[in-house]
Amino acid sequence: MNDSSIQLDSRERTLLRTLIESYISDGQPVGSRNLARASGLKVSAATVRNVMADLEDRGLIQAPHTSAGRVPTTAGYRLFVDSLLEVRKPSREQIDAIESRFDPGASTQDLLDSASSVLSQVTRMAGMVRLPRHRNVALSQIEFLRLGEGRVLAILVIDGREVQNRVLELERDFSQDDLQRMANYLNAHLAGKSLHTVRAELLREMREVRDDLDAQMLAAIDLGEQALGDEDPDDVVVAGQTQLLGYEELADMERLRQLLEAFNEKREILGILDQCIRGDRVQIFIGRESGLDWFENCSVVTAPYSVDGEVVGVLGVIGPTRMSYDRVVPIVDVTARLLGSALNVRGESPDSQ
Amino acid sequence: MNDSSIQLDSRERTLLRTLIESYISDGQPVGSRNLARASGLKVSAATVRNVMADLEDRGLIQAPHTSAGRVPTTAGYRLFVDSLLEVRKPSREQIDAIESRFDPGASTQDLLDSASSVLSQVTRMAGMVRLPRHRNVALSQIEFLRLGEGRVLAILVIDGREVQNRVLELERDFSQDDLQRMANYLNAHLAGKSLHTVRAELLREMREVRDDLDAQMLAAIDLGEQALGDEDPDDVVVAGQTQLLGYEELADMERLRQLLEAFNEKREILGILDQCIRGDRVQIFIGRESGLDWFENCSVVTAPYSVDGEVVGVLGVIGPTRMSYDRVVPIVDVTARLLGSALNVRGESPDSQ
DNA sequence: TTGTGGCACTCGTCCGGAAGGAGCGCTGAT
DNA sequence: ATCAGCGCTCCTTCCGGACGAGTGCCACAA
């Protein structure tokens, strides 16, 4: 990444990796003697001390106080996950265990819930799943129901399975018969097309044929336009926040509170996940890299998931920076894949339920 | 309450109250010297010691260890809130501040959200609101939409404003026309009546006229029965759980975790609130009185709220047992009243939105 | 030049004991 | 009944010493 990392020779790399692994596994600053032994290198502790001094100069590790062992810095972790990390492949059993949690017959919402609780339970950290963007889902049907003076309930059936409804506030009042006719008109023209297409088509018609159509149809188009407007559900599913209470490096109450608050608000979580949606592999955020100060001592591991070859969302976990990346990364990875295929299977056979 | 409390003479009562107030305000065990001074009584510390020994014998206070001051027990708190507590009336400004948080134009959901976040912010503890039971709300309209083979979407419009929809899985398949006819039948017979009445009527018809009606109508009744079945939204709105992280008497991570988990699951919270729905005034639960072990060191203050003179739900706060009941009780009380009237106003003029 | 062993020094942690203070129970006097 | 006094218990805080882990530096060997 940056030039200081390029200059690391093989021994330095080995020692840095061993140091970080050791620190991750027991949370204690690691000293030269132990590091020399653990590294497997045939060098003395004194030599290791010299190397450690170099690494400290480059900002990769630091000593909490004089004559304590060394601890990785954010930059150290960064280098570690970028070029030193060797992930363990998840075992067959693990994969099966995760897969068994995805019921192919379940609704989208249930699948997302499963994914985030699987993530949280398997990693013992907090799991989160960004809702899938609606890609080329087909509009099956649209209906209107008059609620009262100028208030209309629009019901969209998508993909023959999911239902959304919205209350529209209109300028003028329509009778139920009017509404029925408009729904018929829209259904005849639009049913089966993707939401995207439908919107585009409505806008086009509105511009092109404004003068040729009778008022009724114009109103219908306008209504459809309103009903379909702004449809992406900007949300995220989280699970297992409380797992984070177990990590003593997060024991600062004020920080912890900000962290949990972020999960409640969901806004910042959403921002983080949206940053990760570009890129097609597992991504890792370390500490404050994301710019949030409550993120000290926390890291995020994310992976995008896709349906039909197209990335539709991101999922991931959030936990202490001192986490077993070699274990967590493949779990997140495989969960993303499995969620993708579960959604995929579902989308192909809407009648399977 | 129990007979030990009856026997308290005036001086004992004063001392117990002073002790608890003092402990609530600074969290330290209180000794005889300080208590004698704070009580305002013209007695010496030695006399106070004697009284304290009596109170300890009756299980109202206890010493954390030999020669420490005394601390109230659960029973002590109980007696305190039942017969010693003098609540401070909330100031006009406080009431106005709370009232201003309830926007009369807002939806039910928004009002409940406001209520629970007001509770949490004003008391600096966690706030919760039990969803209102649907009482005599009128069914305005019912519609059915065919989703696919045997799957039907039922749409209920209630009170002309709220919309609920449910997906029904049916044995046999109906065409959209069939469904339309059944909806017409049900609307003609039932619209405008209360949900309660409607259910009762459907059940009665089903039993009485099973043989006289044609299959179509029978099916309609059956469908309506399914669509209306089990309609109460068993849920609760919570806010400000993270406030609880600030109290050092709840600093035990494991307990804290169970506590937050309870807020996530909502089930136990619901149980607690449901216990409080009987009774028309503020109620207080102290420590494990509710039988939950994670409740150690916690208390709940609740008040029912009513619309049209009928109790429809409960709201309250949960916080450390060592809380300022004199401040919290009136806040909960007034919030319940204001939520009630906000809902009431709203219900009377369904067109105001 | 690079690695190594040795040595002095720095900190943090872990007792143990002493001092101080808060508070209790008991008793005898009013 | 109330109260002052006394002896006692226990918690907290502070201090100093022992210990161990670890560092930095230097002189020396390969």
Side-chain angles (χ1 to χ4, degrees), chain A residues 145 147 151 153 165 167, chain B residues 106-109 112 131-132 134-135 137-141 155-165 233 343 346-347 350 353:
Chain A
L145 215 55
L147 292 181
R151 301 180 66 236
L153 175 69
N165 43 12
V167 176
Chain B
S107 70
T108 300
Q109 186 61 48
L112 302 183
L131 289 214
H134 285 239
R135 348 119 252 164
V137 289
L139 173 67
S140 312
Q141 202 170 349
I155 301 148
L156 307 181
V157 184
I158 295 164
D159 256 356
R161 43 172 40 254
E162 256 165 88
V163 179
Q164 286 185 25
N165 44 12
L343 288 169
R346 265 245 348 240
Q353 190 181 4

Side-chain angles (χ1 to χ4, degrees), chain A residues 200-255:
Chain A
E201 209 149 309
L202 284 176
L203 284 170
R204 188 176 52 70
E205 283 197 38
M206 236 172 142
R207 243 177 291 111
E208 283 184 11
V209 299
R210 178 168 283 282
D211 309 313
D212 306 345
L213 285 172
D214 61 66
Q216 185 78 248
M217 293 204 180
L218 205 58
I221 291 174
D222 191 37
L223 205 55
E225 181 37 34
Q226 274 203 50
L228 291 172
D230 191 25
E231 30 83 28
D232 27 18
D234 237 12
D235 211 0
V236 63
V237 175
V238 297
Q241 305 97 298
T242 56
Q243 302 268 16
L244 300 179
L245 296 226
Y247 296 96
E248 64 277 11
E249 58 260 57
L250 304 178
D252 174 348
M253 280 298 172
E254 189 42 36
R255 277 270 151 64

Side-chain angles (χ1 to χ4, degrees), chain A residues 7 22 24 27 70 82 117 165 167 169 221 224 255 279 310 330 338-339:
Chain A
Q7 301 171 3
S22 159
I24 284 176
R70 302 307 217 292
D82 283 342
S117 75
N165 43 12
V167 176
E169 309 280 348
I221 291 174
R255 277 270 151 64
E310 185 193 2
L338 292 174
L339 175 60

